[in-house]
Amino acid sequence: MRRTISAVLVVLGCVCAPLALVGFWMADRAIGTGRYVETVAPLAENSTVQDDVADRVTAAIAEPMRELDTSVPDHTARMAVDKVVTGDRFPGIWRWANQVAHRRMSGDPQGGNLVLDLTPVYEMAKGELEHEGVPSATRLPALHPEIELLSATDLVRAVTIRDVLAPWRWVTLSLSIVLLAVGAALAEDRLCALVGVGLGLAGGVTVLAVLLVVVRDTALSDVADDGAQGRVFVTVFDALTRSLWTGIRALFAVGLVVAAVAFAVRHVRSSSRPPGGGARSPGGGAHEGRG
């Protein structure tokens, strides 16, 4: 019974550890708009982001422009958009779009998809076309091209996970430590239990790593299939989870070190015991008496 209770406590502690890690990551990167924006702001210089934003805005311009003036080739619009996304003002536009998107995520998640509004890029590209003397540019409609980061369903799921894990991160961490300590203390073979603790921690974060890969490559494949939306989403997702991956590697290493040290100590102790289970006193422990 004692062995069973010890094993259950160790397993529960190993489950709580990666949950606590996710909670701390969310509190650090996903809750505060400022931290979120500072994390994704450097992506304005990312060629994938620039190309995919340009693809989306160019598509928004090209279709109405063909209807207004068939003599204007599509690459004219692309050149104007490229000038915007590679210019000095695009980092500010990118920050603004992500601020708006994150505030939307921090508010009511039931209101629709989470998107990046590319309207400023569209308007600036129209201005570039007018400056280049394209007559039809002045007659382009007021459009609001956007890139979807999360569907409404996925947004609700993400907010739900955040609202559960982040506020309880300290509780989850404390619970993990207590469960692992008590589970190891109750074990008949504490060193063997510590080996289990280490391997359990490494296994727990391995499962978390697999889930991250699944979320990135499979669970959100409906977004990733949509060209620019998918590539921008993956780029933002990778930037946000970089610190989480660091935590996963660190906890995995700690788990392996604990398991290796406990295993080594247990092996040394086992090998140092004399055959037969213990030392015997000279003479077999018999006391001589007087005749």
Side-chain angles (χ1 to χ4, degrees):
M1 184 65 178
R2 180 177 174 180
R3 181 181 300 176
T4 301
I5 294 175
S6 172
V8 170
L9 292 178
V10 168
V11 170
L12 292 176
C14 291
V15 170
C16 289
L19 295 179
L21 179 62
V22 174
F24 277 97
W25 166 72
M26 285 186 164
D28 180 58
R29 298 289 173 179
I31 290 182
T33 299
R35 290 286 290 175
Y36 169 84
V37 172
E38 289 303 318
T39 301
V40 301
L43 298 180
E45 306 294 333
N46 184 286
S47 60
T48 298
V49 170
Q50 291 179 348
D51 289 344
D52 292 343
V53 169
D55 287 346
R56 183 52 55 94
V57 177
T58 300
I61 291 178
E63 184 174 351
M65 183 167 286
R66 291 190 203 103
E67 298 176 358
L68 294 171
D69 188 352
T70 56
S71 66
V72 180
D74 289 349
H75 70 80
T76 301
R78 179 61 187 235
M79 291 174 61
V81 176
D82 283 342
K83 190 172 182 179
V84 174
V85 299
T86 58
D88 296 336
R89 297 178 63 182
F90 181 66
I93 296 172
W94 176 255
R95 289 177 67 94
W96 170 82
N98 279 279
Q99 284 175 344
V100 173
H102 191 273
R103 287 169 185 161
R104 158 84 180 78
M105 185 175 181
S106 302
D108 179 18
Q110 304 289 341
N113 300 337
L114 184 68
V115 300
L116 294 177
D117 186 359
L118 305 180
T119 302
V121 178
Y122 176 79
E123 294 296 332
M124 290 180 64
K126 283 174 57 179
E128 290 292 334
L129 290 171
E130 293 174 13
H131 181 72
E132 293 295 327
V134 179
S136 56
T138 58
R139 293 180 288 151
L140 286 172
L143 300 178
H144 303 278
E146 56 190 26
I147 288 181
E148 179 183 316
L149 292 180
L150 288 175
S151 67
T153 302
D154 291 327
L155 176 59
V156 171
R157 291 173 183 167
V159 171
T160 301
I161 294 173
R162 181 200 66 189
D163 292 344
V164 170
L165 294 182
W168 293 91
R169 61 191 183 279
W170 285 107
V171 174
T172 312
L173 175 62
S174 302
L175 188 60
S176 176
I177 294 173
V178 170
L179 289 172
L180 292 175
V182 174
L186 287 178
E188 296 176 0
D189 188 339
R190 293 179 180 174
L191 287 175
C192 183
L194 285 176
V195 173
V197 167
L199 294 179
L201 288 174
V205 293
T206 299
V207 172
L208 176 59
V210 171
L211 289 176
L212 280 179
V213 174
V214 169
V215 168
R216 183 184 187 273
D217 296 337
T218 305
L220 297 177
S221 60
D222 55 336
V223 175
D225 288 340
D226 190 15
Q229 295 188 172
R231 291 189 294 268
V232 171
F233 167 80
V234 169
T235 304
V236 172
F237 183 83
D238 289 344
L240 288 176
T241 56
R242 191 171 294 121
S243 60
L244 180 57
W245 278 106
T246 300
I248 288 173
R249 295 186 188 99
L251 192 54
F252 182 83
V254 168
L256 290 185
V257 168
V258 170
V261 171
F263 179 82
V265 173
R266 187 172 183 271
H267 178 72
V268 169
R269 287 187 179 181
S270 298
S271 61
S272 64
R273 292 173 184 168
R280 296 174 60 88
S281 60
H287 295 278
E288 294 183 357
R290 289 185 178 180

